[in-house]
Amino acid sequence: MKIKILFENKRISNAFFLGWGVSYLIEDRILFDTGEEWDSLLNNMNAMGVAMNDIKTVVISHEHFDHTGGLWEILRKNHGLDLYICQGFDRRFKDKAKLYGCNIVEIGDSFTRITDNIYTTGQIKTALGFDYIVEQSLVLDTDKGLTIVTGCAHPGIINIVKRVKENMKKDIYLVMGGFHLLGEPVKKIEGVINELKTLGVRYVGPSHCTGEDAERIFKESYMGNFIDIKAGKTVEV
């Protein structure tokens, strides 16, 4: 499978716009998150030759602005999309989505198949201050093993990987996306790396909210098995 990096805070060249957040396109038809801003996402889609009409499904990891910024324009321009969201999303978000005529699929706590060899972890709930947040990640089942694609990993990247292993019971080839380690102490980052290796994760592609310091430590530890995630890049899994 091919994963096109449409939106990130790093880029392969000046032809791509930078921004906070992520947007990854799987097999040219399943869009995972939409970055923080539509114009930048559109520029990067055009630069990678992505046809809007080829996108059949949009999966939103969680409700934060840096993952939903381009969503409403995509829904407006491409009617009848399947939109996968968590059941725990805010009612206002759901009501707004209904206005665009998309097919809304609300994902609960269970591991769920989206299409052939592509799954969602189901929503995972975690505390956020005095409130909570729900988030889902994607799982791609390929000949190389499982690839896990995360938005921000608010529930904890280790918890996400463990949920996937419990449900799929297969080797994990790659974990990529936001790992939510920005500003965390070195000892915690090293602990996460050790746990990922214990869980058998072969390759890592930390990005977005992982933080530059954490990305550097991951790169030093995983060496040749570290994948640098940048807008404009295509990752094959």
Side-chain angles (χ1 to χ4, degrees), residues 22-39:
V22 306
S23 184
Y24 306 138
L25 184 64
I26 293 92
E27 292 290 273
D28 287 324
R29 69 183 191 276
I30 297 179
L31 186 65
F32 180 74
D33 285 347
T34 62
E36 70 169 335
E37 194 263 327
W38 165 245
D39 289 341

Side-chain angles (χ1 to χ4, degrees), residues 5 8 10 22 24 148-150 173-179 196 201-208 210 215 218 222 225-230 235:
I5 314 302
E8 261 295 348
K10 295 184 293 184
V22 306
Y24 306 138
I148 303 172
V149 184
T150 67
Y173 174 72
L174 166 66
V175 180
M176 61 174 282
F179 289 5
L196 289 176
V201 176
R202 289 180 58 197
Y203 289 83
V204 291
S207 63
H208 177 41
T210 305
E215 287 184 34
F218 267 93
Y222 266 88
N225 287 13
F226 177 92
I227 298 175
D228 204 6
I229 304 299
K230 297 180 179 181
V235 178

Side-chain angles (χ1 to χ4, degrees), residues 28-163:
D28 287 324
R29 69 183 191 276
I30 297 179
L31 186 65
F32 180 74
D33 285 347
T34 62
E36 70 169 335
E37 194 263 327
W38 165 245
D39 289 341
S40 295
L41 177 62
L42 178 61
N43 173 83
N44 295 354
M45 289 173 66
N46 290 336
M48 295 196 78
V50 174
M52 180 74 68
N53 291 338
D54 288 344
I55 299 174
K56 305 302 180 185
T57 302
V58 177
V59 180
I60 298 297
S61 63
H62 63 296
E63 292 181 82
H64 287 171
F65 77 96
D66 48 337
H67 299 263
T68 61
L71 175 62
W72 311 115
E73 280 299 309
I74 289 173
L75 296 182
R76 186 175 70 83
K77 296 175 182 296
N78 198 349
H79 296 287
L81 285 173
D82 291 333
L83 176 63
Y84 282 75
I85 62 175
C86 297
Q87 283 181 354
F89 279 12
D90 188 85
R91 174 54 58 187
R92 290 169 294 182
F93 182 99
K94 296 178 183 179
D95 289 344
K96 183 175 181 179
K98 290 176 182 177
L99 298 176
Y100 291 87
C102 56
N103 175 37
I104 299 174
V105 182
E106 294 191 32
I107 298 298
D109 300 335
S110 300
F111 203 88
T112 303
R113 176 182 175 274
I114 294 177
T115 186
D116 291 343
N117 300 322
I118 299 178
Y119 304 81
T120 165
T121 58
Q123 65 179 10
I124 305 175
K125 184 177 178 179
T126 188
L128 189 66
F130 293 105
D131 203 352
Y132 72 91
I133 186 172
V134 291
E135 182 173 344
Q136 60 180 332
S137 301
L138 279 186
V139 183
L140 317 180
D141 187 2
T142 75
D143 292 339
K144 295 179 180 179
L146 303 178
T147 288
I148 303 172
V149 184
T150 67
C152 265
H154 286 284
I157 191 64
I158 299 302
N159 291 334
I160 293 170
V161 171
K162 286 181 176 178
R163 171 173 285 206

